[in-house]
PDB file of all heavy atoms in Angstrom:
ATOM      1  N   LEU A  47     -17.710 -27.297   0.286  1.00 91.00           N
ATOM      2  CA  LEU A  47     -17.058 -28.050   1.358  1.00 91.00           C
ATOM      3  C   LEU A  47     -15.691 -27.448   1.670  1.00 91.00           C
ATOM      4  O   LEU A  47     -15.184 -27.588   2.769  1.00 91.00           O
ATOM      5  CB  LEU A  47     -16.899 -29.524   0.957  1.00 91.00           C
ATOM      6  CG  LEU A  47     -18.196 -30.280   0.675  1.00 91.00           C
ATOM      7  CD1 LEU A  47     -17.881 -31.657   0.111  1.00 91.00           C
ATOM      8  CD2 LEU A  47     -19.024 -30.397   1.936  1.00 91.00           C
ATOM      9  N   LEU A  48     -15.115 -26.779   0.664  1.00 91.00           N
ATOM     10  CA  LEU A  48     -13.832 -26.090   0.805  1.00 91.00           C
ATOM     11  C   LEU A  48     -13.998 -24.648   0.337  1.00 91.00           C
ATOM     12  O   LEU A  48     -14.751 -24.399  -0.607  1.00 91.00           O
ATOM     13  CB  LEU A  48     -12.775 -26.735  -0.093  1.00 91.00           C
ATOM     14  CG  LEU A  48     -12.007 -27.934   0.412  1.00 91.00           C
ATOM     15  CD1 LEU A  48     -11.102 -28.450  -0.682  1.00 91.00           C
ATOM     16  CD2 LEU A  48     -11.211 -27.601   1.628  1.00 91.00           C
ATOM     17  N   PRO A  49     -13.301 -23.709   0.960  1.00 90.00           N
ATOM     18  CA  PRO A  49     -13.355 -22.334   0.451  1.00 90.00           C
ATOM     19  C   PRO A  49     -12.490 -22.188  -0.798  1.00 90.00           C
ATOM     20  O   PRO A  49     -11.502 -22.895  -0.968  1.00 90.00           O
ATOM     21  CB  PRO A  49     -12.778 -21.510   1.606  1.00 90.00           C
ATOM     22  CG  PRO A  49     -11.877 -22.452   2.317  1.00 90.00           C
ATOM     23  CD  PRO A  49     -12.495 -23.813   2.172  1.00 90.00           C
ATOM     24  N   PHE A  50     -12.884 -21.263  -1.687  1.00 89.00           N
ATOM     25  CA  PHE A  50     -12.055 -20.987  -2.858  1.00 89.00           C
ATOM     26  C   PHE A  50     -10.782 -20.284  -2.432  1.00 89.00           C
ATOM     27  O   PHE A  50      -9.717 -20.541  -2.964  1.00 89.00           O
ATOM     28  CB  PHE A  50     -12.817 -20.127  -3.875  1.00 89.00           C
ATOM     29  CG  PHE A  50     -13.754 -20.927  -4.726  1.00 89.00           C
ATOM     30  CD1 PHE A  50     -15.073 -21.117  -4.348  1.00 89.00           C
ATOM     31  CD2 PHE A  50     -13.313 -21.497  -5.894  1.00 89.00           C
ATOM     32  CE1 PHE A  50     -15.927 -21.861  -5.134  1.00 89.00           C
ATOM     33  CE2 PHE A  50     -14.159 -22.239  -6.697  1.00 89.00           C
ATOM     34  CZ  PHE A  50     -15.475 -22.421  -6.301  1.00 89.00           C
ATOM     35  N   LEU A  51     -10.879 -19.380  -1.460  1.00 88.00           N
ATOM     36  CA  LEU A  51      -9.724 -18.675  -0.918  1.00 88.00           C
ATOM     37  C   LEU A  51      -9.799 -18.714   0.594  1.00 88.00           C
ATOM     38  O   LEU A  51     -10.881 -18.675   1.172  1.00 88.00           O
ATOM     39  CB  LEU A  51      -9.717 -17.205  -1.360  1.00 88.00           C
ATOM     40  CG  LEU A  51      -9.482 -16.926  -2.829  1.00 88.00           C
ATOM     41  CD1 LEU A  51      -9.704 -15.451  -3.097  1.00 88.00           C
ATOM     42  CD2 LEU A  51      -8.088 -17.322  -3.234  1.00 88.00           C
ATOM     43  N   ASN A  52      -8.648 -18.768   1.222  1.00 81.00           N
ATOM     44  CA  ASN A  52      -8.586 -18.704   2.670  1.00 81.00           C
ATOM     45  C   ASN A  52      -8.172 -17.291   3.033  1.00 81.00           C
ATOM     46  O   ASN A  52      -7.016 -16.923   2.914  1.00 81.00           O
ATOM     47  CB  ASN A  52      -7.589 -19.734   3.204  1.00 81.00           C
ATOM     48  CG  ASN A  52      -7.701 -19.905   4.691  1.00 81.00           C
ATOM     49  OD1 ASN A  52      -8.502 -19.258   5.341  1.00 81.00           O
ATOM     50  ND2 ASN A  52      -6.885 -20.764   5.245  1.00 81.00           N
ATOM     51  N   ASN A  53      -9.124 -16.473   3.478  1.00 73.00           N
ATOM     52  CA  ASN A  53      -8.882 -15.042   3.667  1.00 73.00           C
ATOM     53  C   ASN A  53      -8.519 -14.670   5.099  1.00 73.00           C
ATOM     54  O   ASN A  53      -8.592 -13.510   5.458  1.00 73.00           O
ATOM     55  CB  ASN A  53     -10.120 -14.238   3.245  1.00 73.00           C
ATOM     56  CG  ASN A  53     -10.357 -14.322   1.760  1.00 73.00           C
ATOM     57  OD1 ASN A  53      -9.413 -14.451   0.999  1.00 73.00           O
ATOM     58  ND2 ASN A  53     -11.600 -14.262   1.351  1.00 73.00           N
ATOM     59  N   GLU A  54      -8.122 -15.621   5.923  1.00 65.00           N
ATOM     60  CA  GLU A  54      -7.813 -15.313   7.319  1.00 65.00           C
ATOM     61  C   GLU A  54      -6.651 -14.333   7.440  1.00 65.00           C
ATOM     62  O   GLU A  54      -6.639 -13.476   8.297  1.00 65.00           O
ATOM     63  CB  GLU A  54      -7.473 -16.594   8.075  1.00 65.00           C
ATOM     64  CG  GLU A  54      -8.674 -17.479   8.281  1.00 65.00           C
ATOM     65  CD  GLU A  54      -8.315 -18.798   8.942  1.00 65.00           C
ATOM     66  OE1 GLU A  54      -7.186 -18.918   9.432  1.00 65.00           O
ATOM     67  OE2 GLU A  54      -9.162 -19.680   8.963  1.00 65.00           O
ATOM     68  N   LYS A  55      -5.656 -14.437   6.579  1.00 56.00           N
ATOM     69  CA  LYS A  55      -4.485 -13.568   6.663  1.00 56.00           C
ATOM     70  C   LYS A  55      -4.826 -12.128   6.275  1.00 56.00           C
ATOM     71  O   LYS A  55      -4.218 -11.208   6.771  1.00 56.00           O
ATOM     72  CB  LYS A  55      -3.364 -14.102   5.760  1.00 56.00           C
ATOM     73  CG  LYS A  55      -2.879 -15.453   6.186  1.00 56.00           C
ATOM     74  CD  LYS A  55      -1.402 -15.446   6.300  1.00 56.00           C
ATOM     75  CE  LYS A  55      -0.938 -16.759   6.924  1.00 56.00           C
ATOM     76  NZ  LYS A  55       0.456 -16.769   7.177  1.00 56.00           N
ATOM     77  N   GLN A  56      -5.802 -11.931   5.396  1.00 51.00           N
ATOM     78  CA  GLN A  56      -6.144 -10.582   4.963  1.00 51.00           C
ATOM     79  C   GLN A  56      -6.734  -9.773   6.115  1.00 51.00           C
ATOM     80  O   GLN A  56      -6.523  -8.587   6.215  1.00 51.00           O
ATOM     81  CB  GLN A  56      -7.141 -10.622   3.808  1.00 51.00           C
ATOM     82  CG  GLN A  56      -6.496 -11.047   2.506  1.00 51.00           C
ATOM     83  CD  GLN A  56      -7.484 -11.048   1.359  1.00 51.00           C
ATOM     84  OE1 GLN A  56      -8.678 -10.893   1.564  1.00 51.00           O
ATOM     85  NE2 GLN A  56      -6.981 -11.239   0.160  1.00 51.00           N
ATOM     86  N   PHE A  57      -7.479 -10.427   7.011  1.00 50.00           N
ATOM     87  CA  PHE A  57      -8.069  -9.708   8.129  1.00 50.00           C
ATOM     88  C   PHE A  57      -6.998  -9.262   9.117  1.00 50.00           C
ATOM     89  O   PHE A  57      -7.134  -8.243   9.758  1.00 50.00           O
ATOM     90  CB  PHE A  57      -9.107 -10.581   8.834  1.00 50.00           C
ATOM     91  CG  PHE A  57     -10.299 -10.880   7.966  1.00 50.00           C
ATOM     92  CD1 PHE A  57     -10.632 -12.180   7.646  1.00 50.00           C
ATOM     93  CD2 PHE A  57     -11.078  -9.856   7.457  1.00 50.00           C
ATOM     94  CE1 PHE A  57     -11.715 -12.451   6.848  1.00 50.00           C
ATOM     95  CE2 PHE A  57     -12.163 -10.125   6.654  1.00 50.00           C
ATOM     96  CZ  PHE A  57     -12.487 -11.424   6.351  1.00 50.00           C
ATOM     97  N   GLU A  58      -5.914  -9.994   9.225  1.00 53.00           N
ATOM     98  CA  GLU A  58      -4.829  -9.611  10.119  1.00 53.00           C
ATOM     99  C   GLU A  58      -4.080  -8.392   9.587  1.00 53.00           C
ATOM    100  O   GLU A  58      -3.580  -7.600  10.351  1.00 53.00           O
ATOM    101  CB  GLU A  58      -3.858 -10.785  10.291  1.00 53.00           C
ATOM    102  CG  GLU A  58      -4.466 -11.942  11.041  1.00 53.00           C
ATOM    103  CD  GLU A  58      -3.555 -13.154  11.056  1.00 53.00           C
ATOM    104  OE1 GLU A  58      -2.393 -13.031  10.615  1.00 53.00           O
ATOM    105  OE2 GLU A  58      -4.017 -14.217  11.487  1.00 53.00           O
ATOM    106  N   ARG A  59      -4.012  -8.247   8.276  1.00 50.00           N
ATOM    107  CA  ARG A  59      -3.271  -7.143   7.676  1.00 50.00           C
ATOM    108  C   ARG A  59      -3.972  -5.804   7.861  1.00 50.00           C
ATOM    109  O   ARG A  59      -3.346  -4.775   7.787  1.00 50.00           O
ATOM    110  CB  ARG A  59      -3.073  -7.390   6.182  1.00 50.00           C
ATOM    111  CG  ARG A  59      -2.059  -8.449   5.890  1.00 50.00           C
ATOM    112  CD  ARG A  59      -1.826  -8.522   4.400  1.00 50.00           C
ATOM    113  NE  ARG A  59      -1.227  -9.797   4.060  1.00 50.00           N
ATOM    114  CZ  ARG A  59      -1.382 -10.419   2.930  1.00 50.00           C
ATOM    115  NH1 ARG A  59      -2.123  -9.879   1.987  1.00 50.00           N
ATOM    116  NH2 ARG A  59      -0.809 -11.568   2.694  1.00 50.00           N
ATOM    117  N   THR A  60      -5.280  -5.805   8.086  1.00 52.00           N
ATOM    118  CA  THR A  60      -6.017  -4.547   8.189  1.00 52.00           C
ATOM    119  C   THR A  60      -5.592  -3.756   9.421  1.00 52.00           C
ATOM    120  O   THR A  60      -5.789  -2.556   9.477  1.00 52.00           O
ATOM    121  CB  THR A  60      -7.535  -4.799   8.246  1.00 52.00           C
ATOM    122  OG1 THR A  60      -7.807  -5.702   9.326  1.00 52.00           O
ATOM    123  CG2 THR A  60      -8.033  -5.394   6.947  1.00 52.00           C
ATOM    124  N   GLU A  61      -4.984  -4.415  10.415  1.00 54.00           N
ATOM    125  CA  GLU A  61      -4.560  -3.723  11.613  1.00 54.00           C
ATOM    126  C   GLU A  61      -3.271  -2.927  11.400  1.00 54.00           C
ATOM    127  O   GLU A  61      -2.905  -2.121  12.239  1.00 54.00           O
ATOM    128  CB  GLU A  61      -4.342  -4.745  12.734  1.00 54.00           C
ATOM    129  CG  GLU A  61      -5.615  -5.463  13.129  1.00 54.00           C
ATOM    130  CD  GLU A  61      -5.345  -6.611  14.083  1.00 54.00           C
ATOM    131  OE1 GLU A  61      -4.209  -6.697  14.590  1.00 54.00           O
ATOM    132  OE2 GLU A  61      -6.255  -7.406  14.310  1.00 54.00           O
ATOM    133  N   SER A  62      -2.563  -3.154  10.301  1.00 51.00           N
ATOM    134  CA  SER A  62      -1.306  -2.463  10.047  1.00 51.00           C
ATOM    135  C   SER A  62      -1.564  -0.975   9.817  1.00 51.00           C
ATOM    136  O   SER A  62      -2.631  -0.585   9.332  1.00 51.00           O
ATOM    137  CB  SER A  62      -0.594  -3.067   8.841  1.00 51.00           C
ATOM    138  OG  SER A  62      -1.356  -2.868   7.688  1.00 51.00           O
ATOM    139  N   PRO A  63      -0.614  -0.127  10.158  1.00 57.00           N
ATOM    140  CA  PRO A  63      -0.824   1.325   9.979  1.00 57.00           C
ATOM    141  C   PRO A  63      -0.964   1.681   8.500  1.00 57.00           C
ATOM    142  O   PRO A  63      -0.278   1.138   7.660  1.00 57.00           O
ATOM    143  CB  PRO A  63       0.438   1.954  10.578  1.00 57.00           C
ATOM    144  CG  PRO A  63       1.455   0.866  10.578  1.00 57.00           C
ATOM    145  CD  PRO A  63       0.694  -0.428  10.705  1.00 57.00           C
ATOM    146  N   THR A  64      -1.866   2.601   8.237  1.00 59.00           N
ATOM    147  CA  THR A  64      -2.100   3.004   6.846  1.00 59.00           C
ATOM    148  C   THR A  64      -1.098   4.077   6.449  1.00 59.00           C
ATOM    149  O   THR A  64      -0.726   4.927   7.254  1.00 59.00           O
ATOM    150  CB  THR A  64      -3.530   3.552   6.671  1.00 59.00           C
ATOM    151  OG1 THR A  64      -3.697   4.639   7.580  1.00 59.00           O
ATOM    152  CG2 THR A  64      -4.561   2.481   6.943  1.00 59.00           C
ATOM    153  N   LYS A  65      -0.683   4.037   5.204  1.00 61.00           N
ATOM    154  CA  LYS A  65       0.270   5.003   4.689  1.00 61.00           C
ATOM    155  C   LYS A  65      -0.498   6.128   4.006  1.00 61.00           C
ATOM    156  O   LYS A  65      -1.481   5.884   3.312  1.00 61.00           O
ATOM    157  CB  LYS A  65       1.207   4.351   3.681  1.00 61.00           C
ATOM    158  CG  LYS A  65       2.095   3.313   4.294  1.00 61.00           C
ATOM    159  CD  LYS A  65       2.978   2.696   3.246  1.00 61.00           C
ATOM    160  CE  LYS A  65       3.857   1.623   3.838  1.00 61.00           C
ATOM    161  NZ  LYS A  65       4.650   0.951   2.825  1.00 61.00           N
ATOM    162  N   THR A  66      -0.029   7.345   4.212  1.00 60.00           N
ATOM    163  CA  THR A  66      -0.665   8.477   3.542  1.00 60.00           C
ATOM    164  C   THR A  66       0.332   9.070   2.564  1.00 60.00           C
ATOM    165  O   THR A  66       1.505   9.241   2.881  1.00 60.00           O
ATOM    166  CB  THR A  66      -1.103   9.560   4.563  1.00 60.00           C
ATOM    167  OG1 THR A  66       0.041   9.941   5.318  1.00 60.00           O
ATOM    168  CG2 THR A  66      -2.183   9.030   5.498  1.00 60.00           C
ATOM    169  N   TYR A  67      -0.162   9.344   1.397  1.00 60.00           N
ATOM    170  CA  TYR A  67       0.677   9.915   0.358  1.00 60.00           C
ATOM    171  C   TYR A  67       0.099  11.267  -0.053  1.00 60.00           C
ATOM    172  O   TYR A  67      -1.103  11.397  -0.225  1.00 60.00           O
ATOM    173  CB  TYR A  67       0.720   9.008  -0.879  1.00 60.00           C
ATOM    174  CG  TYR A  67       1.344   7.665  -0.609  1.00 60.00           C
ATOM    175  CD1 TYR A  67       0.549   6.525  -0.465  1.00 60.00           C
ATOM    176  CD2 TYR A  67       2.717   7.526  -0.527  1.00 60.00           C
ATOM    177  CE1 TYR A  67       1.117   5.306  -0.223  1.00 60.00           C
ATOM    178  CE2 TYR A  67       3.298   6.304  -0.295  1.00 60.00           C
ATOM    179  CZ  TYR A  67       2.498   5.183  -0.135  1.00 60.00           C
ATOM    180  OH  TYR A  67       3.065   3.974   0.095  1.00 60.00           O
ATOM    181  N   SER A  68       0.954  12.248  -0.227  1.00 57.00           N
ATOM    182  CA  SER A  68       0.496  13.528  -0.773  1.00 57.00           C
ATOM    183  C   SER A  68       1.100  13.656  -2.165  1.00 57.00           C
ATOM    184  O   SER A  68       2.313  13.740  -2.327  1.00 57.00           O
ATOM    185  CB  SER A  68       0.922  14.693   0.130  1.00 57.00           C
ATOM    186  OG  SER A  68       2.319  14.716   0.226  1.00 57.00           O
ATOM    187  N   PHE A  69       0.233  13.631  -3.153  1.00 62.00           N
ATOM    188  CA  PHE A  69       0.702  13.653  -4.534  1.00 62.00           C
ATOM    189  C   PHE A  69       0.904  15.072  -5.044  1.00 62.00           C
ATOM    190  O   PHE A  69       1.798  15.333  -5.822  1.00 62.00           O
ATOM    191  CB  PHE A  69      -0.293  12.910  -5.429  1.00 62.00           C
ATOM    192  CG  PHE A  69      -0.315  11.424  -5.138  1.00 62.00           C
ATOM    193  CD1 PHE A  69      -1.397  10.859  -4.471  1.00 62.00           C
ATOM    194  CD2 PHE A  69       0.716  10.612  -5.520  1.00 62.00           C
ATOM    195  CE1 PHE A  69      -1.418   9.504  -4.214  1.00 62.00           C
ATOM    196  CE2 PHE A  69       0.704   9.256  -5.255  1.00 62.00           C
ATOM    197  CZ  PHE A  69      -0.368   8.707  -4.612  1.00 62.00           C
ATOM    198  N   ARG A  70       0.055  16.000  -4.628  1.00 64.00           N
ATOM    199  CA  ARG A  70       0.124  17.359  -5.154  1.00 64.00           C
ATOM    200  C   ARG A  70       0.245  18.371  -4.027  1.00 64.00           C
ATOM    201  O   ARG A  70      -0.411  18.252  -3.015  1.00 64.00           O
ATOM    202  CB  ARG A  70      -1.168  17.666  -5.905  1.00 64.00           C
ATOM    203  CG  ARG A  70      -0.973  17.835  -7.378  1.00 64.00           C
ATOM    204  CD  ARG A  70      -2.232  18.290  -7.996  1.00 64.00           C
ATOM    205  NE  ARG A  70      -2.639  17.273  -8.969  1.00 64.00           N
ATOM    206  CZ  ARG A  70      -3.781  17.287  -9.613  1.00 64.00           C
ATOM    207  NH1 ARG A  70      -4.657  18.202  -9.351  1.00 64.00           N
ATOM    208  NH2 ARG A  70      -4.040  16.380 -10.486  1.00 64.00           N
ATOM    209  N   THR A  71       1.053  19.331  -4.241  1.00 62.00           N
ATOM    210  CA  THR A  71       1.127  20.448  -3.290  1.00 62.00           C
ATOM    211  C   THR A  71       0.871  21.718  -4.091  1.00 62.00           C
ATOM    212  O   THR A  71       1.430  21.925  -5.165  1.00 62.00           O
ATOM    213  CB  THR A  71       2.507  20.527  -2.605  1.00 62.00           C
ATOM    214  OG1 THR A  71       3.504  20.593  -3.615  1.00 62.00           O
ATOM    215  CG2 THR A  71       2.746  19.329  -1.710  1.00 62.00           C
ATOM    216  N   LYS A  72       0.015  22.573  -3.546  1.00 64.00           N
ATOM    217  CA  LYS A  72      -0.312  23.824  -4.235  1.00 64.00           C
ATOM    218  C   LYS A  72       0.667  24.915  -3.841  1.00 64.00           C
ATOM    219  O   LYS A  72       0.962  25.107  -2.678  1.00 64.00           O
ATOM    220  CB  LYS A  72      -1.732  24.276  -3.881  1.00 64.00           C
ATOM    221  CG  LYS A  72      -2.784  23.355  -4.473  1.00 64.00           C
ATOM    222  CD  LYS A  72      -4.158  23.929  -4.228  1.00 64.00           C
ATOM    223  CE  LYS A  72      -5.208  23.073  -4.886  1.00 64.00           C
ATOM    224  NZ  LYS A  72      -6.539  23.589  -4.709  1.00 64.00           N
ATOM    225  N   ASN A  73       1.162  25.595  -4.826  1.00 70.00           N
ATOM    226  CA  ASN A  73       2.050  26.729  -4.594  1.00 70.00           C
ATOM    227  C   ASN A  73       1.326  28.027  -4.935  1.00 70.00           C
ATOM    228  O   ASN A  73       0.957  28.262  -6.062  1.00 70.00           O
ATOM    229  CB  ASN A  73       3.308  26.629  -5.464  1.00 70.00           C
ATOM    230  CG  ASN A  73       4.144  25.406  -5.117  1.00 70.00           C
ATOM    231  OD1 ASN A  73       3.856  24.730  -4.132  1.00 70.00           O
ATOM    232  ND2 ASN A  73       5.166  25.157  -5.900  1.00 70.00           N
ATOM    233  N   LYS A  74       1.139  28.896  -3.929  1.00 59.00           N
ATOM    234  CA  LYS A  74       0.470  30.166  -4.150  1.00 59.00           C
ATOM    235  C   LYS A  74       1.308  31.316  -3.694  1.00 59.00           C
ATOM    236  O   LYS A  74       2.033  31.305  -2.809  1.00 59.00           O
ATOM    237  CB  LYS A  74      -0.867  30.221  -3.432  1.00 59.00           C
ATOM    238  CG  LYS A  74      -1.890  29.381  -4.138  1.00 59.00           C
ATOM    239  CD  LYS A  74      -3.249  29.629  -3.537  1.00 59.00           C
ATOM    240  CE  LYS A  74      -4.299  28.860  -4.270  1.00 59.00           C
ATOM    241  NZ  LYS A  74      -5.598  29.094  -3.763  1.00 59.00           N
TER     242      LYS A  74
END
């Protein structure tokens, strides 16, 4: 009758820009 979690806010966050991280750079 009630949801365990209200996930409406999580769907709104998916529109935010994704961050890209570069952890390793190769030196040749």
Side-chain angles (χ1 to χ4, degrees):
L47 299 172
L48 275 176
F50 279 91
L51 292 172
N52 192 359
N53 293 329
E54 290 176 12
K55 297 231 172 186
Q56 286 182 351
F57 294 120
E58 292 173 8
R59 287 186 199 150
T60 55
E61 296 171 11
S62 64
T64 57
K65 294 179 181 176
T66 56
Y67 296 103
S68 60
F69 292 107
R70 247 187 241 173
T71 55
K72 291 186 176 181
N73 297 352
K74 286 189 177 182

